Each structure stands twice: as structure tokens, then as C-alpha cells.
Amino acid sequence: MPDKKAWTADDMPDLSGKTIVVTGGNSGIGYEAALEFARKRADVILACRDLGKARSAAAQISTSSPGAKVEVMELDLSSLASVRGFADAFHLGHPALHVLCNNAGVMAIPYRQTVDGFEMQIGTNHLGHFALTGLLLDRLLATEGARVVNVSSGAHRMGKIRFDDLQWHNGYRKWMAYGQSKLANLLFTFELQRRADASGAKLLSVACHPGYAATNLQAAGPRMQGSSMMESLFSVGNSLFAQSAAMGALPTEYAAVASDVHGGDYIGPDGIGEMWGHPVKVGCSAAARDTAAAARLWEMSEQLTNVHYPL
């Protein structure tokens, strides 16, 4: 029996009439996913902190795909006020939401706090997206076939939810904090699907990861630390070993639109170590499937963000 054909962006269906929000859609895998969604005629919203970069990205997408429908909206996931502002603005202009791609994130940065006092990685990567999804949930539930796609990472396997010190007030370790935030992405994904199923909601909650893709993410931490040597090393590593951002975006695109995706699926590259390749359904750590931890994190996330889900 021949192997199943490798899935590419060309396999996406026509997305005319679909509204897709991509957080952090101005660069990296978010940009590449937004580009392909727009090419397939979706109404794409780039939800970004830097409006200048977002407008430049939107212009590039429009140049690449004349007639593309691309909108720019301000969203700073490290500010709950900004998240609420985005949700309010979205409600005013958009009656439906077919796909919410929770893509934006930070990785292994020096210790920083969000404006709300959260450790920056858990605050941006998880809590900001948790709040955003909850505030847009009415639109998602009212849209037939809606999906939430959370971008995690293979680094979730080194993560542990520090329920006694979620914000890393003691002994901050940047890579462990990143792992915690990426594990939180998966716990959120699977708990959202469980709650949707229990309530009878027709919502798919799906996770994905890009493998090792060449983006600006790797250089951000060294740049914040002022380490030009580490920034250069990451750049060399990307050029030698990483797949392109376009390839890294394929799991996001597959999770968002492929017809054989089910709620609770986790999509990643099919290559060795899930580092490179085409999108397939992959496994995750036992910790990511811990239902008790997921329920506890959910309750804590609602309390911290003051966003309460009707599920």
C-alpha cells in the first residue's frame, strides 16, 4: 500500500467566507500561515502587538495574493486590557470566527513581567491566549465548524506546571519557564475540548507544533540579554539545521483546515524527532494528558485573567 501523500498548503480547501484570526501573524510561522489562508481566500486578521510590522506583513500578503482580504488589529497578549480591547473591537466588526490561531509567543527570554504581573512566558503564551479564547468563545460557538488552534512546542515535554509558583517568583529558569508555558498550551487545548464535548458545543480544540523552524523566536532571548554571540549562534543553527518558516507553518495550517482533524488532536512534523517534515498527528507527554492538572490550571487561569468560560 503506498504511503499517504505528504500534506502541503496546496491541499487546503477554498476558504472563501471563512474568518481566521492569527495572533502574531506579522512574522515567522504566523505570517506564513496567514499568507496561505489569505491565498485560499479566507478573511484573515493579523492580531499583533506591533501595528507597523503587521501593516507591512499585510501589504506583503496582498502583493503576493492580489485580492487577499487581510485586516490588521492591535493585540498585546502581555496585557489583559489589550486582550479585552481586541475582543471588543472584533465583536463590533465580525459576526463569525471560524478559526482562532493562538500562535504568538515568546521563548526562553530573561525574566520579565507582563503589565498584569505575570511571568512573561506563561503570561503571553498561555494566559493571554486563554483570555482571548474565552472572550471570543461566543463567536466561535456561534460559527459552524469553528476551531481553536494552539501552537505548542516539543519543549512541552520538559515542562512542569508549578502550581505553587506559576509566575516564577523564585529560581527563574528561562527554558523551564518556556516548557511550562508550552505544556500549559496543551493542557488548555485538551481541557477546552473536554468541556466543549460535555456541553454539546460543536467546537474543535486542536494543538500543533512547528518542529525546528527558522524564525525570529530563537534570537529574541539572546537579543534581550544583549548577547550578540548567542544571537549569532542561533542564526547559524537556523541556517544549518532548521526547516523554513513556511514548512514550520504547515502543522498550524493542517490543524486549522484539514478535514480529518478531530478535537484534541496534536499535529507536528513527520520527520525524525518531529523536528522537520510534513504535518501528521503526533503524540505528547503524559503530563499533557493529565486531566486533574488541566482542570486545576483552568481554574487558576480563570481566576488570574478574570475570564470565565460558559463551559
Side-chain angles (χ1 to χ4, degrees), residues 166-181:
L166 192 71
Q167 311 302 341
W168 291 88
H169 295 303
N170 299 304
Y172 178 71
R173 296 170 65 188
K174 62 184 181 181
W175 280 106
M176 295 302 292
Y178 179 65
Q180 174 183 248
S181 73

Side-chain angles (χ1 to χ4, degrees), residues 10 13 37 47 60 95 103 108 111-112 121 124 140 147 191 198 203 216 245 247 257 267 273 278 290 300:
D10 289 335
F37 295 146
Q60 290 171 8
N103 161 80
Y111 183 79
R112 298 285 190 277
Q121 297 192 79
T124 300
L140 289 161
R147 301 186 188 189
E191 182 68 9
L203 175 71
N216 294 327
M247 283 295 294
V257 305
I267 312 299
H278 293 267
D290 186 332
M300 182 179 287

Side-chain angles (χ1 to χ4, degrees), residues 23-290:
T23 68
N26 61 281
S27 66
I29 64 172
Y31 170 80
E32 296 295 340
L35 175 68
E36 294 300 337
F37 295 146
R39 186 169 68 88
K40 290 291 187 173
R41 301 184 179 86
D43 295 349
V44 178
I45 297 167
L46 305 182
C48 305
R49 180 175 54 85
D50 189 320
L51 288 179
K53 291 181 179 178
R55 291 187 183 113
S56 176
Q60 290 171 8
I61 292 173
S62 295
T63 298
S64 176
S65 296
K69 298 177 181 178
V70 190
E71 181 181 353
V72 169
M73 294 180 66
E74 186 172 13
L75 171 65
D76 181 353
L77 288 157
S78 69
S79 163
L80 291 176
S82 177
V83 173
R84 289 184 179 278
F86 174 90
D88 289 344
F90 183 88
H91 278 91
L92 288 175
H94 302 278
L97 177 55
H98 296 83
V99 183
L100 172 59
C101 284
N102 289 324
N103 161 80
V106 291
M107 182 179 79
I109 61 173
Y111 183 79
R112 298 285 190 277
Q113 287 188 336
T114 71
V115 295
D116 302 288
F118 306 141
E119 184 274 316
M120 186 64 75
Q121 297 192 79
I122 195 73
T124 300
N125 298 354
H126 168 62
L127 292 171
H129 281 129
F130 179 91
L132 177 66
T133 306
L135 292 169
L136 296 177
L137 192 65
D138 59 337
R139 286 290 188 264
L140 289 161
L141 295 179
T143 304
E144 184 177 356
R147 301 186 188 189
V148 175
V149 177
N150 294 315
V151 180
S152 183
S153 166
H156 84 273
R157 295 181 181 278
M158 68 179 178
K160 178 183 178 182
I161 305 299
R162 293 161 48 103
F163 287 109
D164 57 341
D165 187 16
L166 192 71
Q167 311 302 341
W168 291 88
H169 295 303
N170 299 304
Y172 178 71
R173 296 170 65 188
K174 62 184 181 181
W175 280 106
M176 295 302 292
Y178 179 65
Q180 174 183 248
S181 73
K182 295 290 102 178
L183 175 58
N185 290 153
L186 289 180
L187 290 168
F188 169 48
T189 298
F190 303 145
E191 182 68 9
L192 176 57
Q193 190 63 58
R194 282 189 288 269
R195 289 173 180 252
D197 290 344
S199 70
K202 303 300 182 184
L203 175 71
L204 295 186
S205 179
V206 188
C208 62
H209 79 87
Y212 182 13
T215 71
N216 294 327
L217 198 63
Q218 292 91 347
R223 192 175 299 127
M224 290 174 70
Q225 288 179 305
S227 176
S228 57
M229 182 181 74
M230 287 304 298
E231 187 176 346
S232 297
L233 283 174
F234 274 115
S235 178
V236 171
N238 279 355
S239 64
L240 291 177
F241 304 114
Q243 63 180 355
S244 67
M247 283 295 294
L250 289 179
T252 298
E253 296 157 15
Y254 187 94
V257 305
S259 60
D260 62 344
V261 170
H262 300 99
D265 281 349
Y266 184 34
I267 312 299
D270 63 358
I272 296 173
E274 298 173 20
M275 299 288 280
W276 313 277
H278 293 267
V280 294
K281 297 178 184 182
V282 297
C284 60
S285 69
R289 296 289 185 182
D290 186 332

